[in-house]
Amino acid sequence: MRNQVSKRYFGTDGIRGRVGEEPVTPDFMLKLGWAVGRVIAREGGTKVIIGKDTRISGYMIESALEAGLSAAGVDIRLLGPMPTPAVAYLTRTFHAGAGIVISASHNPFYDNGIKFFSSQGIKLPDDVEHAIEDELDVPLKVVESSRMGKAARIVDAPGRYIEFCKSTVPLNMTFGGMKVVVDCSHGATYQVAPRVFTELGAQVTALGNEPDGMNINDGCGSTHPELLQRTVLDTGADLGIALDGDGDRLIMVDHKGEIVDGDELLYIIAAARLRDENMRGTVVGTVMSNLGLEHALNKMGIDFQRARVGDRYVYEMLERAGWSLGGESSGHILCLDRTTTGDGIVSALQILAAIEKSGKTLHELKSGMQKYPQTLLNIELPADITSAIKTALADTAPVRKTIGEVENELRDTGRILLRPSGTEPLYRVMVEGQDAKQVAGLAQRLADAVSEAIG
């Protein structure tokens, strides 16, 4: 099987780019819809579900994909703005051949992209992505008119997904008396997230729930939690919930205004599962997960393993071993005993359930994990840099020399990680250790060496 590097369009999380530039153009999306339709039809699929976030470019991309799928003889079911995990869920319940999400997740509104789910509601395997790319090289040929796909809208999609989310906590559990701020990032969760928590009894203050097509992730949501922090403190809320633009990522804020990141959320859920005696197997994080998470889990007797960065790789490790819980520092949490993919709303519900059962605050629940100081720096990459060059940056002479120096200084008290981003034109440098000032200085030295290599 060909590996990830050999793909021309698919990154670690689908296809993504700036709108109007290849591959996020109407003509490419038309051809992509047709290619997907061809692959799905070969596997016996007859319909594809399409959801999107709130970016203005979603209209253009949705129409182009719809035309391509129809030309391939596949029916289309349109959801409109719906969270990524909702598309995964509805793909399964409607027995569709695949699900498509039009979203660039946490990126600005001028970016957009495509994510895919299989009929089982999981990310497409590499061989299917390769098959789609192969079809993109074939001249587009429209099926006979009598076999062309038809499009229809699923009007009750929000209600279906809301009921599913509520089903992931015990039936008799309510959050009455809990004061919660929910930041929807002006994104795909703006219709459903406040309703989920309200219907479960919480007193909800909603933020980021007035999308205009261009304000998604703009100073709000999981990548910009400052507004949420201020609002939690100003309203005296028990906690805050920050979702990203497509709803698969979660960051929370405790009643003191302190951010609770994906590592801490994963720790809280694991500890709750252990108390309830339904913790299944090892917890999976990534190479970016904080050492404090690993140590806290080990202290409770829970094993921890690291996958490559990307929730698809966390999922693959969990699925192979039959484990159920994993996630990323960024807030992608996988609760495979609840659903098939990362779901910000479902993950938040697991945290609220832990609070309700324990009688403790979010601040108290996270206190069992002590995070190591960690510095993450992003270096911008030239737009025309190739994947091969990005991957080889760590092997260049100035970077190798600096890595050796930093490792000697850290010894066995910390970690370093250098890697290209799979979704943005960035190169990431991470250093983790016991001393925050030392860590920051070492990270800057590494970042300077990478910048020198790029130059």
Side-chain angles (χ1 to χ4, degrees):
M1 184 185 295
R2 289 168 294 178
N3 59 30
Q4 183 74 25
V5 175
S6 68
K7 294 177 189 174
R8 289 173 294 156
Y9 301 109
F10 284 90
T12 56
D13 199 16
I15 298 170
R16 191 177 298 185
R18 186 150 188 158
V19 176
E21 300 175 4
E22 289 289 342
V24 190
T25 60
D27 52 341
F28 180 86
M29 291 299 166
L30 172 67
K31 189 67 178 293
L32 178 64
W34 178 81
V36 171
R38 294 257 294 184
V39 172
I40 296 304
R42 278 205 302 267
E43 299 296 321
T46 59
K47 63 176 176 283
V48 170
I49 285 182
I50 302 179
K52 60 183 179 180
D53 65 23
T54 55
R55 294 163 211 269
I56 192 168
S57 57
Y59 295 101
M60 174 187 77
I61 296 171
E62 180 183 59
S63 298
L65 288 170
E66 181 183 338
L69 288 162
S70 178
V74 175
D75 290 338
I76 305 100
R77 297 293 179 265
L78 300 170
L79 302 177
M82 286 292 286
T84 288
V87 178
Y89 168 70
L90 293 167
T91 298
R92 287 188 290 124
T93 61
F94 277 93
H95 303 283
I100 298 177
V101 182
I102 304 167
S103 175
S105 188
H106 57 280
N107 287 28
F109 85 95
Y110 48 74
D111 290 339
N112 216 329
I114 306 293
K115 303 179 185 182
F116 296 95
F117 289 106
S118 73
S119 58
Q120 287 78 43
I122 62 177
K123 300 287 178 71
L124 292 183
D126 286 342
D127 58 344
V128 176
E129 292 182 347
H130 282 301
I132 292 169
E133 291 199 346
D134 289 342
E135 289 294 335
L136 288 169
D137 293 330
V138 178
L140 192 154
K141 183 178 180 181
V142 181
V143 298
E144 295 178 8
S145 294
S146 61
R147 294 175 48 219
M148 291 182 72
K150 301 176 182 178
R153 187 165 296 277
I154 301 175
V155 296
D156 60 345
R160 286 172 179 255
Y161 176 62
I162 288 169
E163 290 305 311
F164 163 71
C165 290
K166 289 159 57 180
S167 75
T168 65
V169 296
L171 185 62
N172 61 349
M173 179 173 284
T174 64
F175 305 124
M178 198 177 290
K179 197 172 181 181
V180 176
V181 182
V182 181
D183 185 346
C184 304
S185 199
H186 296 304
T189 63
Y190 81 99
Q191 300 178 84
V192 297
R195 285 178 56 187
V196 168
F197 298 104
T198 298
E199 290 183 19
L200 285 170
Q203 180 183 337
V204 174
T205 299
L207 303 174
N209 62 334
E210 297 179 349
D212 63 9
M214 293 174 284
N215 60 358
I216 188 170
N217 302 315
D218 186 8
C220 57
S222 63
T223 52
H224 302 283
E226 298 82 12
L227 173 62
L228 180 63
Q229 290 175 287
R230 291 196 302 271
T231 307
V232 166
L233 292 174
D234 291 345
T235 61
D238 296 301
L239 57 88
I241 296 166
L243 304 159
D244 67 340
D246 72 327
D248 62 359
R249 182 184 299 196
L250 167 72
I251 294 295
M252 296 184 74
V253 171
D254 66 22
H255 73 283
K256 295 188 175 186
E258 296 177 4
I259 292 173
V260 185
D261 69 8
D263 289 337
E264 293 166 311
L265 296 173
L266 194 53
Y267 163 76
I268 292 170
I269 296 172
R273 296 280 196 272
L274 188 64
R275 286 192 298 269
D276 293 341
E277 298 184 349
N278 60 6
M279 178 64 221
R280 193 174 82 213
T282 295
V283 171
V284 175
T286 73
V287 292
M288 296 292 290
S289 299
N290 195 282
L291 267 175
L293 171 62
E294 182 174 354
H295 292 170
L297 291 173
N298 291 165
K299 188 175 180 180
M300 293 191 295
I302 300 174
D303 290 333
F304 179 77
Q305 289 192 22
R306 296 177 185 270
R308 293 167 58 189
V309 172
D311 61 320
R312 68 181 295 157
Y313 303 115
V314 176
Y315 174 85
E316 288 171 2
M317 186 176 286
L318 290 170
E319 181 65 14
R320 280 197 305 269
W323 302 327
S324 62
L325 184 60
E328 300 186 276
S329 309
S330 61
H332 282 120
I333 308 295
L334 289 166
C335 299
L336 298 187
D337 54 350
R338 299 294 192 272
T339 188
T340 61
T341 190
D343 189 318
I345 296 174
V346 169
S347 298
L349 289 173
Q350 308 316 298
I351 300 294
L352 267 61
I355 292 170
E356 185 67 23
K357 284 186 178 181
S358 68
K360 296 181 178 180
T361 65
L362 177 59
H363 184 82
E364 290 169 331
L365 288 177
K366 76 170 185 177
S367 64
M369 173 187 155
Q370 300 302 316
K371 292 172 64 176
Y372 274 50
Q374 189 182 83
T375 295
L376 175 64
L377 300 177
N378 294 317
I379 301 102
E380 284 196 33
L381 295 171
D384 59 349
I385 193 169
T386 66
S387 295
I389 293 175
K390 283 194 292 185
T391 304
L393 280 172
D395 291 326
T396 57
V399 179
R400 279 203 317 272
K401 178 176 181 291
T402 309
I403 288 173
E405 294 169 353
V406 170
E407 287 178 337
N408 285 336
E409 194 165 333
L410 281 174
R411 299 187 182 276
D412 58 353
T413 63
R415 298 187 306 130
I416 67 170
L417 181 69
L418 292 84
R419 68 174 189 91
S421 168
T423 58
E424 299 173 274
L426 299 171
Y427 196 87
R428 307 197 194 280
V429 171
M430 188 274 288
V431 178
E432 188 174 59
Q434 294 177 328
D435 182 274
K437 185 175 180 180
Q438 178 195 39
V439 163
L442 295 177
Q444 190 60 58
R445 277 170 58 186
L446 282 168
D448 290 344
V450 171
S451 296
E452 179 185 341
I454 293 170

